[in-house]
Amino acid sequence: MNPLWINIFHKKLEEESIAYFLGSVSIFADLDKRSRIQLESLMHLRTYSAGEVIFEAGDPGSGMYIIRSGTVQIYNRSVKNREIILAQLGLKEFFGETTLAAPSKRTASARASEPTVLIGLFRADINELAKRNPSVAYKIILSLSRVVSERLHVSDQLMNDLRLKHPDLFSTESST
Amino acid sequence: MSEPFPTIRRPADRTQMILLFIVLTAGLAAGLAIYSSATSFITFIRTASSALFLPILLSLVLTFLLEPVVSFFERTTGKRTGSIFIVYILCAMLLYLLMQFIIPQWQSAWNSLQADLPRYIKGMTNYIRDLGLKIEAQTPFIDSADLVERGRSLGKDIVNTVIVGTPQSALRLGGLFLMVPLFTFFFLRDGSRILRSCISLAPNRTFEMVHDLSYLITKQLSHFIRGRIIEATIIGIVIFIGLSFTDIRYTGFLAVFAGVTNLIPYIGPLIGMIPGILVALVDLGIGGQFWWIVIVYFLIAQVIIDNFILIPILISRYSNLHPLWVIIAIILGGNAYGILGMVIGVPIVSTLKIIFIEIRQYRRTFSLSERLPESES
C-alpha cells in the first residue's frame, strides 16, 4: 500500500495513548477507561533534551510529572554548592506531587538525564476536572493522598532510625 | 625599497553608473512595494479585526456567562458537547418566550420612540436655550457660547444617527445573531483546548508558571465579567421596576440603556439616566413623578443597590479602576471603536489590570515564602 494511504488510515493504537499509559501508573490505576480518557485531555506532554532542567529548588511548584520515557535525576545542592543526587527515576515513576494540592516552592531540583518525555498534571487541571467530573477528581486526590502519606510514613521511619542511630544530631531539638 | 602602488581614482564608467542606477531604482521600487503592501496588510488586518472584534468579544463574554451552566450539565451527563447543546436549547426556548412576550410591545414602543425623538430633542433644545439665556442674563460679561445652536445640531445628529443607523444596526445585529452563538459554541467546547495549545508554546522552564498564571487570570476574569453582567442586569431590572410606578413611557428601553451604560463605572450611570430624565422632563414635567424618577436612578439604583449591595458582593475590590483610568479608557475606546468602544473600553482596561495584579500577586506569593525562613531564624 502507498505510504500516504497508510498514514491517512493509520489509527492511533490504544497502547500508544496516554490514557492507556496512565492505567499502568500506580496513582491512576484505580481509574476506569473513561475517566483516564477524560484525564488525558487535561494532561500536558512535554519533551526534554538530555541534561535539561525541569525545575529547580525554589521555583514555584504547581503540579506533578509522570515519566513517559527517559530518566530523571532529582538532586539538591549542598551549602558548598555541591550537587547531591537524591533519586534517579525511570519509566512510570512520578515526582513533584507535593505541590499539587497547595502552592509551594519546589524543595529539590529535577533534570532529564537523557532525552525524556514527561506528562504534567497541575493544580489548575485538577481544579478544572473537579468542576467537570468531581468523582474522577476525588479518586485522583484520594490516590495522591495515599501516595503522599505512604512517603511521609517512610520518611518518618527513616527519621526515627536516624534519631536512634545518631541521637547527638537531634540534641538541640530535645533541649528546646 | 619598493615604491608603493599609486592609488588611482578613476571616474566610474558608464556600465557602473547604469548598474548603480538599476540597483537604486530596484531598491526604491522594492521599498515602495513593501511599504504599500505593508500598509494594505495593516489595513486588511484592521478591517478584519474590526469586523471580528465585536462578535469575538461578545462570544467570550457569553462563554464566561454560560460556562458554569455547561459545567453543571456536564457533571450529570458526562458529555461536554451534549451539555452545550442542552444549554443552547434552554437559551433558545428562553429567548423564544421572551420574544413572544416582549417583541410586539417593543416594536410599537420603538416606532413611537422614533416619532417622538424629535420632540424630545426639541424639548432638550428649549431647555438648553432657557438655561443659556439665564446664564447670559446672570453673567453678561461672558460671551454667549451659542448653546442653542450647539444643542440643536447635537439633536439633529442624534436623530440622523438613529434613523439612518437603525437598518445598518439591524443588519449588523443579524450577523451577530449568527456569529456569536457559533463562536460561543466553539469557545465553550474547545476553549480550554485552545488555551492549552497556546500555553504549550511556552518554553519548558516557564511552562508551569505560565499555566498556573493563565488559570488564575481566567478565574479572576470570569468572576469579573460574570459580576459585571449580573450587576448591569440587576440595575436594569431595578430601574424598570422603579420607573413602572410612574407614567413614564419607554420603561423597557430606558432600563436596558441604564443597564448597559452601567458597565462603565462613574460616568456610565450618569449617561444612563440622561434619556430617562429627558423623557420625564418633556412628558411629565417637573413634579412628584419627576423627582421619584431621579431618586430611582440616583439613590435607589446607584447608591443603595449598586454601591452598597452589588459592588461589594459581585465585584472584587481590586478590579475597580481609578477614575483617571476610566476616562482614559473611554477616550481611547471611543477613538478606536466609537460608542461601542466607549462601553467596552473600561472592561478591557479592567481586564488588563486584573492580569497585572494576578502576575504581581503570584510573584509576591513565592517571594514571600522565600523570606519566611529568614524571618523565623
Side-chain angles (χ1 to χ4, degrees):
Chain A
M1 203 189 232
N2 189 321
L4 179 79
W5 294 109
I6 292 173
N7 275 334
I8 288 172
F9 293 110
H10 171 76
K11 259 184 112 177
K12 202 176 167 187
L13 290 170
E14 201 196 335
E15 287 79 21
E16 290 173 19
S17 70
I18 294 178
Y20 182 84
F21 172 77
L22 289 176
S24 59
V25 178
S26 60
I27 209 164
F28 305 112
D30 293 343
L31 299 178
D32 56 22
K33 197 177 157 189
R34 213 178 119 200
S35 307
R36 273 188 269 125
I37 290 171
Q38 199 160 26
L39 193 61
E40 181 184 349
S41 68
L42 294 169
M43 290 187 140
H44 307 260
L45 210 64
R46 307 294 297 178
T47 310
Y48 294 82
S49 50
E52 192 177 346
V53 173
I54 300 158
F55 55 72
E56 292 230 50
D59 279 358
S62 65
M64 64 182 283
Y65 292 91
I66 305 142
I67 303 169
R68 177 111 205 249
S69 68
T71 48
V72 170
Q73 263 181 352
I74 307 291
Y75 64 96
N76 244 334
R77 286 186 193 280
S78 66
V79 187
K80 289 175 182 170
N81 206 23
R82 215 161 52 88
E83 216 170 76
I84 305 160
I85 306 290
L86 302 173
Q88 178 96 9
L89 304 173
L91 187 71
K92 295 177 191 173
E93 287 185 294
F94 54 89
F95 56 97
E97 71 283 352
T98 47
T99 57
L100 200 61
S104 57
K105 288 197 295 181
R106 298 284 185 197
T107 48
S109 307
R111 179 176 53 209
S113 355
E114 55 182 288
T116 301
V117 177
L118 300 178
I119 302 170
L121 178 66
F122 303 102
R123 197 168 44 249
D125 307 317
I126 294 280
N127 284 333
E128 187 76 20
L129 188 69
K131 234 176 9 174
R132 292 183 181 187
N133 200 333
S135 59
V136 178
Y138 165 75
K139 276 183 194 169
I140 293 170
I141 290 166
L142 204 67
S143 298
L144 265 171
S145 57
R146 190 191 49 178
V147 169
V148 171
S149 58
E150 272 170 15
R151 289 187 179 179
L152 197 68
H153 275 300
V154 171
S155 55
D156 259 359
Q157 194 66 49
L158 284 170
M159 190 80 101
N160 280 335
D161 290 350
L162 204 66
R163 203 188 297 252
L164 289 172
K165 275 182 196 166
H166 306 280
D168 50 311
L169 276 174
F170 298 89
S171 57
T172 48
E173 200 179 284
S174 56
S175 67
T176 53
Chain B
M1 211 171 121
S2 61
E3 207 176 298
F5 290 108
T7 49
I8 304 161
R9 281 183 176 273
R10 267 198 232 162
D13 61 9
R14 187 180 285 260
T15 333
Q16 274 178 324
M17 285 296 282
I18 291 169
L19 256 172
L20 188 71
F21 177 73
I22 291 170
V23 167
L24 274 175
T25 317
L28 208 65
L32 274 172
I34 290 167
Y35 177 73
S36 68
S37 66
T39 47
S40 64
F41 180 70
I42 289 163
T43 321
F44 167 73
I45 293 285
R46 270 194 74 174
T47 321
S49 68
S50 66
L52 283 172
F53 183 71
L54 185 61
I56 288 179
L57 195 85
L58 287 176
S59 308
L60 280 174
V61 169
L62 211 59
T63 307
F64 278 124
L65 275 178
L66 295 179
E67 173 61 40
V69 192
V70 172
S71 290
F72 170 77
F73 283 109
E74 198 185 353
R75 273 201 289 274
T76 45
T77 60
K79 287 196 167 68
R80 183 83 177 162
T81 315
S83 310
I84 299 169
F85 275 121
I86 294 172
V87 172
Y88 264 50
I89 290 165
L90 286 176
C91 283
M93 280 161 66
L94 201 73
L95 264 176
Y96 179 75
L97 285 174
L98 260 155
M99 277 175 167
Q100 288 292 313
F101 178 68
I102 288 172
I103 289 251
Q105 288 180 18
W106 280 41
Q107 186 64 46
S108 60
W110 177 246
N111 289 339
S112 67
L113 180 68
Q114 275 185 316
D116 278 345
L117 208 57
R119 198 164 59 85
Y120 292 130
I121 298 297
K122 202 178 168 194
M124 187 184 79
T125 318
N126 288 342
Y127 184 74
I128 292 170
R129 189 183 58 206
D130 292 347
L131 196 75
L133 287 173
K134 265 185 203 168
I135 292 170
E136 265 179 59
Q138 281 176 5
T139 54
F141 47 87
I142 295 175
D143 280 345
S144 161
D146 204 5
L147 285 172
V148 183
E149 194 46 48
R150 281 189 187 188
R152 194 175 292 151
S153 68
L154 179 76
K156 216 183 270 178
D157 284 349
I158 293 171
V159 173
N160 282 342
T161 317
V162 170
I163 290 167
V164 176
T166 308
Q168 282 178 359
S169 344
L171 207 72
R172 203 178 287 174
L173 267 179
L176 282 181
F177 269 110
L178 205 76
M179 277 197 278
V180 171
L182 199 75
F183 285 174
T184 309
F185 177 81
F186 288 114
F187 284 153
L188 278 169
R189 205 187 66 146
D190 305 320
S192 57
R193 205 177 300 163
I194 296 168
L195 193 67
R196 281 159 53 84
S197 319
C198 294
I199 294 165
S200 69
L201 298 172
N204 280 338
R205 281 291 279 130
T206 49
F207 163 76
E208 209 177 313
M209 197 181 72
V210 171
H211 180 51
D212 215 20
L213 267 175
S214 79
Y215 171 75
L216 292 170
I217 290 167
T218 315
K219 204 172 111 181
Q220 279 297 335
L221 274 186
S222 63
H223 184 77
F224 169 71
I225 291 171
R226 249 174 258 156
R228 276 276 178 229
I229 301 285
I230 295 170
E231 180 202 0
T233 313
I234 294 174
I235 290 296
I237 293 169
V238 166
I239 286 174
F240 181 80
I241 295 168
L243 296 186
S244 301
F245 291 123
T246 64
D247 297 329
I248 196 169
R249 293 193 297 165
Y250 315 118
T251 323
F253 286 125
L254 294 174
V256 169
F257 187 75
V260 171
T261 51
N262 200 72
L263 291 171
I264 309 169
Y266 309 110
I267 301 161
L270 292 173
I271 300 169
M273 63 177 76
I274 290 171
I277 287 170
L278 184 71
V279 172
L281 206 65
V282 174
D283 279 356
L284 308 170
I286 295 178
Q289 289 200 12
F290 174 80
W291 291 116
W292 167 250
I293 289 166
V294 173
I295 288 170
V296 166
Y297 268 118
F298 191 74
L299 200 70
I300 299 177
Q302 281 313 314
V303 178
I304 299 173
I305 306 285
D306 204 21
N307 283 326
F308 288 163
I309 302 171
L310 295 180
I311 292 178
I313 295 172
L314 295 170
I315 318 287
S316 60
R317 197 166 45 84
Y318 70 66
S319 63
N320 279 338
L321 289 176
H322 188 273
L324 192 72
W325 282 113
V326 173
I327 293 163
I328 291 171
I330 290 169
I331 293 168
L332 287 179
N335 271 331
Y337 288 103
I339 293 171
L340 178 80
M342 289 168 110
V343 176
I344 59 177
V346 177
I348 286 175
V349 174
S350 303
T351 305
L352 293 175
K353 192 188 171 189
I354 288 172
I355 294 172
F356 173 74
I357 286 174
E358 268 311 320
I359 293 172
R360 200 176 62 182
Q361 212 142 310
Y362 187 83
R363 284 169 62 99
R364 200 174 284 172
T365 306
F366 287 100
S367 57
L368 191 76
S369 52
E370 200 173 52
R371 269 183 250 124
L372 272 176
E374 286 168 26
S375 59
E376 275 168 7
S377 63

